[in-house]
Amino acid sequence: MKEYSREDLIEQYSYIYKKVKNVFFTKIGEKTVICLLKLENGFEVVGTSACVNPEDFDLEIGEYYSLKNALDKVEELEGYLMQEELYTKNNKGEN
C-alpha cells in the first residue's frame, strides 16, 4: 500500500515550500479536502482533492493530494514568473 507522507511531499517540493508561510486544511462535505497555502508575500493558493465514494474517504490521503495540488499550482505560477523575467531581460529596449 502506498504511503502518503506529507513530509516526503514537502521535501520533493522544497524549492517551493520554502515560500509557504502557513498551510490550512479543511474537510468539506463527505469526501473533499481543501488546502490553503498562504505564501510569504501574502498570496493564497487553494488545492483540492476528492474521492468518488465517501466510504473510501481517508483524511490523510485527502490532505496529501490537496497539498500536492496547491504546490503544483504554485510551481506553475513560478514557471510563469521565471519566463516573464527571461522575456523582459531578453527584450529590454526593443519597444
Side-chain angles (χ1 to χ4, degrees), residues 24-62:
F24 304 95
F25 293 101
T26 189
K27 179 183 174 198
I28 304 289
E30 296 180 16
K31 55 186 184 173
T32 301
V33 176
I34 296 175
C35 173
L36 173 75
L37 300 181
K38 184 165 187 172
L39 305 181
E40 288 180 337
N41 66 4
F43 194 75
E44 296 178 345
V45 178
V46 174
T48 61
S49 69
C51 63
V52 175
N53 184 349
E55 293 175 9
D56 294 333
F57 180 80
D58 182 304
L59 185 60
E60 181 180 352
I61 295 172

